[in-house]
């Protein structure tokens, strides 16, 4: 059991059988409407102070899952239990106060900031919306304090986003997300667009904030090296389905799902000797279309271990121990 | 006599902008031999792409390159584009992060591929189409004979990248310049493309320039490495030199700040402090001084040249100066 669970075993968030199906127009004028199952029945818990990584190739449903949790995309089915209460379908009036605790930061820092607002206004906006009673001076003081905390010079408060580098824009996004002292931040590829040296700065900042404020984080990324560094547990997604969910050490030291194994072995290691001699599982082809996913195990068209049964039977999500779940007919042999 | 296939000497590229001149590429010297893979690494804005756009005669209109670029024995910098076109895309090809830079969205792949072969190889339409299908097949496009008749937008991101590589390989180039060809791709697809490049080197002795910010990619593919910072080369060496015996503080910082998938993590990642430099506003002295853990007084007064300290090894740092 990891330390975080031992300490606080009441989840802050429970996601149950969550589905997001997009309706697409049919082929041709009279074709039947088609369903794109972006998220297709996901279950997990998140504990206070924990970082859960969500990984998988692009298009596998990571962002949709993150947004559906925050009710930014309405789920098709399932539950999102936040602090003991299902928030799926909650009316706007009830969601509004919860939004204080639930924040998100995005991959493209500049594009996610309003170019016509000063960074002071951008960071203050959530406070103005949720705590207008604080008054102008207090809001300004809090904004400056938060700017200093995330490594921005408070005297830059009246500058505009385009005057900042990518790394600094991400700090602005983090300050805005942190200003209400939320309980959960969903980070959707927050460092994917940044240079290596800047990535490390932002990851360190997120980890410090997490400790200081007992934050829970959902860290969406396609970079499995960063995820290994920052996440306590990792959920591996493929075509909207959970393939594996386990604590960090199990995922990296003893992955049980062929997709997890392939993802990990594809990450280049910055050491010529190790990189040139390591064992690799090379996947062929691309992600199949989620409009017409493979029968049985959704991964079977690219799985090097697939057998006949994989085409007919959907593997159940088996629990290996209370820290490790895997959806593969043959996980015992992996 | 050397057998260098590409030689670059004292290459510079300058851009005229309303805010003044940008010295994007400065004093670049390197060469590459057949079958060799040269890695070019550095942060965004460090000048990696502009070096090779200058080499290929593809700089933006406000840019000007000076120095020497030789393809074998032939000087090719700033020659008329009619002459350059016999080399560019034929014996020397460049591929980009965004495949749509090299593909025409309005033309079927078949048309785009056969055109090159008919013009440069004098092939018949029929033979050209056969070769195009062959090449798509080689780069791992399933059903190439049918898909050659599709438009670029009908391919997925990874497949489009392969189509661009197939185009670049049509005339069996001796040099392939790959500018972050896998940066936008998933690791699974990246692994396929890297295998493809390795085969190319093995089967055809193609010289490859791999421009990337990912040291993992360099570790797996490259023979020699050139590290860029602030528009200049700051370190050169073999791949082993760079990874196991780096000299420049920036190279060292870059290596240390890479989170690794094969090691359990420390509490904090090592981070290089500060921001990459703005080429329009470089400090006096060493461009890395504000971020360098070893900065000395002289680093802020004058700029270190590239000190050679061993065969093929050099570092642009006063620590190599021995004074
Ligand atoms: N608004 C939408 N309408 C239709 N399809 C969508 C929409 N948003 C996402 N999708 C599709 O859902 C799938 C999952 O997308 P996404 O969650 O963005 O994946 P990821 O973040 O893992 O790259 C993709 O096939 C994508 O094309
Ligand atoms: N057309 C241009 N006009 C002015 N500056 C340019 C132009 N093209 C590139 N630059 C400058 O050249 C520098 C180096 O760019 P580039 O070679 O593309 O970097 P890299 O490939 O290492 O990310 C950049 O800082 C950019 O500002
Ligand atoms: S169930 Fe079959 S196809 Fe799916 S991951 Fe396991 S072995 Fe592969
Ligand atoms: S010259 Fe000075 S500032 Fe530059 S890298 Fe060397 S020690 Fe650091
Ligand atoms: Mg996404
Ligand atoms: Mg570039």
């Amino acid at each position: 059991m990891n330390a975080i669970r031992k300490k606080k075993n009441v989840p802050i968030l429970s996601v149950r059988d969550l589905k997001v199906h997009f309706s697409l127009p049919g082929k041709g004028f009279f074709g039947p409407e088609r369903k794109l199952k972006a998220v297709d029945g996901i279950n997990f818990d998140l504990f206070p102070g924990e970082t859960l990584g969500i990984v998988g190739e692009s298009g596998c449903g990571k962002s949709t899952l993150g947004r559906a949790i925050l009710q930014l995309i309405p789920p098709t089915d399932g539950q999102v239990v936040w602090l003991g209460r299902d928030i799926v379908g909650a009316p706007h009036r009830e969601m509004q106060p919860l939004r204080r605790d639930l924040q998100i930061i995005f991959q493209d820092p500049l594009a996610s900031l309003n170019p016509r607002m000063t960074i002071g206004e951008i960071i203050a906006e959530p406070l103005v919306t949720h705590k207008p009673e604080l008054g102008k001076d207090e809001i300004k003081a809090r904004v400056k304090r938060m700017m200093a905390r995330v490594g921005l010079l408070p005297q830059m408060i009246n500058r505009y986003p385009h005057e900042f580098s990518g790394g600094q824009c991400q700090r602005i996004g983090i300050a805005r997300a942190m200003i209400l002292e939320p309980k959960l931040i969903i980070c959707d590829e927050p460092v994917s667009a940044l240079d290596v040296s800047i990535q490390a700065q932002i990851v360190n900042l997120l980890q410090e904030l997490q400790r200081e404020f007992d934050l829970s984080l959902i860290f969406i990324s396609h970079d499995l090296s960063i995820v290994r560094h920052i996440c306590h547990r990792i959920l591996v997604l493929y075509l909207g389905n959970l393939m594996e969910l386990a604590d960090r050490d199990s995922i990296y030291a003893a992955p049980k799902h062929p997709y997890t194994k392939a993802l990990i072995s594809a990450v280049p290691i910055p050491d010529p000797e190790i990189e040139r001699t390591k064992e690799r599982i090379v996947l062929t082809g691309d992600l199949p279309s989620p409009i017409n996913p493979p029968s049985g195990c959704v991964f079977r068209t690219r799985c090097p271990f697939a057998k006949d049964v994989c085409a007919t039977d959907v593997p159940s999500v088996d629990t290996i121990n209370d820290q490790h779940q895997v959806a593969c007919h043959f996980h015992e042999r992996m | 006599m050397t057998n260098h296939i590409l030689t670059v000497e004292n290459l510079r590229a300058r851009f005229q902008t309303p805010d003044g001149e940008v010295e994007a590429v400065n004093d670049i010297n390197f060469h590459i031999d057949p079958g060799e893979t040269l890695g070019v690494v550095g942060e965004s804005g460090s000048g990696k792409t502009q070096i090779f756009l200058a080499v290929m005669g593809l700089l933006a209109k406000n840019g000007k390159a000076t120095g020497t670029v030789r393809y074998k024995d032939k000087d090719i910098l700033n020659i008329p584009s009619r002459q350059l076109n016999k080399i560019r895309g034929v014996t020397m090809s460049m591929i980009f992060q965004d495949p749509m830079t090299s593909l025409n969205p309005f033309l079927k792949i078949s048309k785009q591929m056969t055109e090159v072969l008919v013009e440069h190889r004098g092939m018949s339409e029929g033979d050209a189409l056969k070769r195009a299908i062959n090449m798509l097949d080689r780069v791992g496009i399933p059903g190439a004979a049918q898909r050659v008749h599709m438009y670029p937008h009908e391919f997925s991101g990874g497949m489009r990248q392969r189509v661009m590589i197939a185009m670049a390989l049509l005339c069996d180039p001796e040099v392939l310049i790959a500018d972050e060809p896998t940066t936008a791709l998933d690791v699974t697809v990246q692994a396929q493309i890297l295998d493809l490049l390795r085969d190319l080197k093995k089967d055809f002795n193609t010289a490859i320039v791999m421009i990337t910010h990912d040291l993992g990619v360099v570790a797996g593919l490259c023979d020699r490495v050139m590290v860029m910072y602030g528009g200049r080369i700051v370190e050169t060496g073999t791949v082993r030199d760079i990874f196991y015996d780096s000299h420049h503080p920036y190279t060292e910082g870059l290596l240390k700040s890479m989170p690794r998938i094969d090691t359990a993590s420390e509490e904090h990642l090592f981070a290089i402090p500060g921001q990459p430099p703005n080429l329009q506003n470089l400090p006096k002295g060493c461009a890395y001084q504000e971020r360098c853990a070893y900065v000395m007084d002289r680093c802020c007064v004058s700029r270190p040249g590239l000190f050679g300290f061993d065969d093929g090894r050099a570092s642009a740092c006063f620590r190599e100066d021995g004074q």
Side-chain angles (χ1 to χ4, degrees), chain A residues 240-296:
Chain A
N241 286 264
L242 183 148
M243 299 290 108
E244 189 161 8
L245 171 62
D247 61 286
R248 172 194 24 219
D249 292 343
S250 309
I251 281 277
Y252 289 95
K256 294 287 177 200
H257 198 284
Y259 183 55
T260 315
K261 284 177 191 276
L263 274 184
I264 291 173
S265 82
V267 177
I269 298 171
D271 181 317
E273 236 146 68
I274 297 175
E275 176 61 14
R276 285 166 202 222
T277 52
K278 74 176 186 189
E279 223 180 286
R280 295 195 302 150
I281 300 174
V282 179
L283 293 185
T284 50
D286 293 345
L287 206 65
S289 161
I291 300 171
N292 194 4
S295 63

Side-chain angles (χ1 to χ4, degrees), chain A residues 195, chain B residues 13-18 20-25 40-53 59-63 179-180 211 228 230-231 277-280:
Chain A
D195 276 312
Chain B
R14 300 272 180 280
F15 292 98
Q16 301 305 327
T17 76
E21 196 177 55
V22 181
E23 303 184 348
V25 170
V40 181
V41 293
E43 281 167 317
S44 50
S46 60
K48 305 183 295 297
T49 296
Q50 302 311 321
I51 294 176
F52 292 92
L53 291 181
L59 282 182
K61 283 214 172 62
N62 63 331
D179 189 359
E180 312 241 13
I211 304 172
M228 299 284 305
N278 175 353
L279 289 184
Q280 222 146 356

Side-chain angles (χ1 to χ4, degrees), chain A residues 195-197 199-200 223 225-226 229 267-271, chain B residues 213-219 243 251-263 269-272:
Chain A
D195 276 312
V196 180
S197 71
Q199 275 188 5
D223 180 345
S225 334
I226 288 265
H229 180 81
V267 177
I269 298 171
D271 181 317
Chain B
H213 63 273
D214 186 339
L215 288 166
V217 169
V218 172
F243 282 86
T251 313
E252 184 190 312
L254 208 54
L255 281 165
K256 278 209 287 186
S257 55
M258 286 282 292
R260 288 177 59 146
I261 196 159
D262 60 334
T263 50
L269 276 179
F270 175 84
I272 302 177

